[in-house]
Amino acid sequence: MAEPLRPFRLRGCAGPQKFGVAAGSLRGLLRKGCRLLQLPLAGSRLCLYEDGTELTESYFRALPPQTELVLLGPGESWRGCASDIERLLAAFCSQQGAVVEAARRLLTDERAPHRQKLLADLIHNLSENILAEDKEDDKKWFEGLESRFKNKSSYLRHSCESRMRGYMREVSGFISNVHPAARDAYRGIIDLMADKLKSVKYNGCYFDRREEEEAARLCTAEGWFSCQGPFDRDDCPCKHSINPYSNRESRILFSTWNLDHIIEKKRAVVPELAEAVKTRDGREVNWEYFYQLLFTLDNLKLVHIACHKKTNHNLSCNKTRIYRKRKQTYEIS
């Protein structure tokens, strides 16, 4: 008795076009596929699109209808959906437009939600003017911004500087909580931090793709930023990434991302600084250590708003670094 026919989605490895083919056996599907794609039956074989697993008759019988399969001719190979990504990257090396078109063809009949999102994001970003830097080359990106910003990096530098200035205001505003006898010393440390921040232009280079050495700690030279994960993880569980240089919508969305203090600014760093000034008892407060915790990537992680945990991190400053030895001076007799 003949096996009932079951429908499958079939494609070759050379292109994304898919065909609906019904068959009751692996041999029957292979024969129909070879005739459809004009491949020789001898030496051809079928595998899963997802991971490249080659089909046997028993494996074929266990497959659900509409499974996506790849028909391989003699000498051809398939490493799963990674093979499609490799072809996209190869197209990108020669022509960006080819990548967009290839991604659109893949998306036409793509059903897996994660791959749908990946392809849609790829098309969205490659269709925009990512490499443009100046206002005259991408006017839409600058809509809603002050006219003084003439290029993308200058605006993103300004955004980072604004964050750092905000942190500095919080540190300064905490002085009302400092013991009255220690407030002058606290002001002195604030002045030292402010001078250092000014000297490095408020670390605006963190979000400037032209400052590759520093920006590379957060993003690639092309401007892609990746979420570095919640404070208690080394990576982002959802693999968030964004390129704020690509389009106006991405620029606006990026403004919701946070520079998260791993050792918390309000709960740990600033109160510890105030206490150190109060109880220094002739010791020198290591203000540069506190500066690193407040204003540098030593203690800051770039995180997507969904990964920004506002619960207590339960982390504290390194007690061995709060004070430092005073520099000794020697008289020459």
Side-chain angles (χ1 to χ4, degrees), residues 188-236:
I189 288 177
I190 290 175
D191 291 341
L192 291 170
M193 289 183 174
D195 289 342
K196 188 171 179 66
L197 269 177
K198 290 176 184 176
S199 72
V200 294
K201 300 179 180 178
Y202 292 88
N203 290 328
C205 59
Y206 289 165
F207 294 146
D208 185 343
R209 62 177 167 183
R210 297 181 303 182
E211 301 283 349
E212 293 185 16
E213 184 175 346
E214 285 296 332
R217 296 181 67 184
L218 285 176
C219 68
T220 66
E222 291 78 18
W224 281 97
F225 290 83
S226 296
C227 175
Q228 297 172 319
F231 76 93
D232 56 349
R233 294 178 60 106
D234 292 326
D235 62 345
C236 169

Side-chain angles (χ1 to χ4, degrees), residues 33 39 60-61 74 119 155 167 192 228 243 264 297:
L39 290 174
F60 169 81
R61 294 179 188 278
L119 291 168
Y155 171 74
Y167 298 161
L192 291 170
Q228 297 172 319
N243 190 331
E264 293 171 282
L297 299 183

